[in-house]
Amino acid sequence: MRSLAIMLSCCVATLFAASAPAQPRETEPPNPLIRKIADEISAKRIEANIRKLAGFGTRNTLSDTKSDTRGIGAARRWIKSELDTCAKETGGRLQVAFDEHLAPVSRRIPQPTPIVNVVATLPGAQAQSKDRIYVVSGHYDSMPSSPTDPEMDAPGANDDASGTAAVMELACVMSKHEFDATLVFMAVAGEEQGLIGARFWAERAKKEGRNIAGMITNDIIGNTKGFDGTVVKNRVRIFAEGVPAVNPLPDDIVAALRTGGENDLPTRQLARFIKSAAERHVAGMQVDLIYRRDRYLRGGDHIPFLESGYPAVRFTEPNENWRHQHQNVRVEDGVQLGDLPEFVDFEYTANVARVNAAALAALALGPAAPQQVEMENLRLENNTTLRWKANSEPDIAGYRIVWRETTSAFWQWSQDVGNMTRETIVGKSKDNFQFGVQAYDKHGNHSVVAYPKPYNPGRP
Ligand SMILES: [Zn+2]
């Protein structure tokens, strides 16, 4: 056995060593502009915004909308006015609006209730990219122990003033800069009533055929001390579904499953990209991929986007403390319960916002993932030939083929192939590796990876 293992490892090593032009991944230098954007995120402003949001007493979706100091109406008018102030500084490039609809009666909606998202849009500056949209959200509604109690205090400092404050900060910081693609910053309502605000937006986007190339929700990103007392300040979880939990599965996904692509669908590609961009630009933060739609018994605003066919992920702190989520504020057996600002680590929330900033900037500065990426599947052979359609952006500099062992979570090797639309990787069998293609531009920005479909006109 031992000699077999040595023999195998020797042969595997030889196989990899033979690929002289291939590079190990993660050797790209950080982009100074993305570093700068992440550095501009302020923990002080995030703290002030979380405290202000908690100060509305409750932001329950069913709570008062008339008062200027208490309830969800006051909260959303304040969020919009803050974003309007930031928009003014951009000369109107950041466009802020209420996005309102009436939710009919449902399990947690006892009477028809207006659901109002606050949406800030930063249109992309490149003609070929402005229809490519990245959405980042937090939910500004909150709940006490009962989701349908509109009167009880529900400060929701962590769930989800933390995500809302992060999104507000991202909107204000990122709108000072220009990106190729469009960024949409959303503070949504109705999350605790059943993901209603996000679902409304996602389903309308699908109906209108909008190209949501990626969606990130930030929900519960502020606590660093877990239920068991464990403190973790340098990690954040990103929940990323593999095969979409939709029935029936779209044909292109079934086709990808036939070639072992269950870990290479768009949401996992997005999550890999986010981890890579974030860890390259935010010192001391680790992004932990969780191969799961969400935590057990919980859900979030990325789910309606997933169900509308868009790649979408969720950020959440690594160690949750349920004493400070969905709890009436009270002391029980000497223990303070309730989602209060004193249990939020503002520096940590700012670091998660920096992770978002780095990921969103890298996505929106970079080109679109290549389209019509195909794996030539014409004969039995040990070479791998990929082909793809040329990107339309004017600043495209070339394409990169990436690959990894089929059991590896992350891309291990890559080869830049220049500005062409077909390339063969000699001596690397498509039977043994996962392959993908990225586009890159003249400024060194890369796209998300696209997974190839088999190409054989004779065998559809
Ligand atoms: Zn939440």
Side-chain angles (χ1 to χ4, degrees), residues 232-305:
V232 178
K233 291 173 179 275
N234 64 341
R235 301 168 83 146
V236 64
R237 289 181 292 175
I238 184 168
F239 286 85
E241 180 172 81
V243 180
V246 296
N247 191 10
L249 279 176
D251 289 347
D252 58 334
I253 291 177
V254 175
L257 296 182
R258 285 200 188 100
T259 57
E262 59 271 12
N263 198 12
D264 284 272
L265 298 171
T267 291
R268 288 271 163 84
Q269 304 291 11
L270 175 68
R272 278 188 195 105
F273 181 97
I274 290 171
K275 175 181 171 68
S276 165
E279 292 180 356
R280 205 160 59 245
H281 294 101
V282 185
M285 280 300 281
Q286 182 178 317
V287 177
D288 297 328
L289 258 72
I290 310 283
Y291 284 177
R292 181 164 288 135
R293 173 182 265 207
D294 207 326
R295 299 106 74 232
Y296 281 90
L297 289 175
R298 307 302 283 271
D301 288 323
H302 58 312
I303 291 176
F305 283 82

Side-chain angles (χ1 to χ4, degrees), residues 139 159-160 191-192 219-220 298-299 314 326:
H139 70 86
D159 186 11
D160 184 33
E191 197 272 351
E192 305 290 9
D219 195 352
I220 309 184
R298 307 302 283 271
R314 171 190 187 127
H326 303 186

Side-chain angles (χ1 to χ4, degrees), residues 92-348:
R93 279 197 312 126
L94 185 68
Q95 300 157 9
V96 185
F98 283 136
D99 168 54
E100 176 170 351
H101 81 290
L102 194 68
V105 172
S106 61
R107 197 164 63 88
R108 291 182 171 186
I109 300 277
Q111 67 263 333
T113 303
I115 304 287
V116 185
N117 302 321
V118 191
V119 181
T121 304
L122 184 67
Q126 189 180 69
Q128 293 81 357
S129 300
K130 66 177 168 33
D131 292 336
R132 176 163 47 98
I133 301 165
Y134 299 98
V135 176
V136 60
S137 81
H139 70 86
Y140 73 92
D141 65 309
S142 67
M143 62 176 272
S145 297
S146 161
T148 51
D149 183 342
E151 304 293 340
M152 184 69 70
D153 274 358
N158 190 24
D159 186 11
D160 184 33
S162 65
T164 304
V167 167
M168 291 169 70
E169 179 69 2
L170 287 164
C172 292
V173 165
M174 296 188 79
S175 60
K176 296 194 171 78
H177 302 274
E178 208 166 75
F179 302 92
D180 291 355
T182 292
L183 291 167
V184 174
F185 307 90
M186 282 204 293
V188 310
E191 197 272 351
E192 305 290 9
Q193 310 319 109
L195 318 175
I196 297 173
R199 186 174 302 284
F200 175 74
W201 201 95
E203 288 180 353
R204 192 183 49 201
K206 185 188 180 184
K207 210 176 294 165
E208 292 172 353
R210 298 178 84 184
N211 173 17
I212 312 300
M215 187 274 182
I216 303 172
T217 192
N218 288 273
D219 195 352
I220 309 184
I221 58 162
N223 168 57
T224 50
K225 190 170 182 184
F227 192 76
D228 63 357
T230 310
V231 175
V232 178
K233 291 173 179 275
N234 64 341
R235 301 168 83 146
V236 64
R237 289 181 292 175
I238 184 168
F239 286 85
E241 180 172 81
V243 180
V246 296
N247 191 10
L249 279 176
D251 289 347
D252 58 334
I253 291 177
V254 175
L257 296 182
R258 285 200 188 100
T259 57
E262 59 271 12
N263 198 12
D264 284 272
L265 298 171
T267 291
R268 288 271 163 84
Q269 304 291 11
L270 175 68
R272 278 188 195 105
F273 181 97
I274 290 171
K275 175 181 171 68
S276 165
E279 292 180 356
R280 205 160 59 245
H281 294 101
V282 185
M285 280 300 281
Q286 182 178 317
V287 177
D288 297 328
L289 258 72
I290 310 283
Y291 284 177
R292 181 164 288 135
R293 173 182 265 207
D294 207 326
R295 299 106 74 232
Y296 281 90
L297 289 175
R298 307 302 283 271
D301 288 323
H302 58 312
I303 291 176
F305 283 82
L306 289 167
E307 290 175 345
S308 296
Y310 295 126
V313 295
R314 171 190 187 127
F315 278 124
T316 295
E317 69 209 25
N319 288 302
E320 292 175 78
N321 188 339
W322 299 279
R323 288 189 188 102
H324 310 303
Q325 294 178 22
H326 303 186
Q327 294 284 348
N328 289 348
V329 179
R330 66 195 190 278
V331 176
E332 226 170 62
D333 301 330
V335 176
Q336 177 71 61
L337 302 171
D339 193 351
L340 296 163
E342 67 202 74
F343 300 110
V344 174
D345 182 331
F346 305 110
E347 283 294 338
Y348 174 77

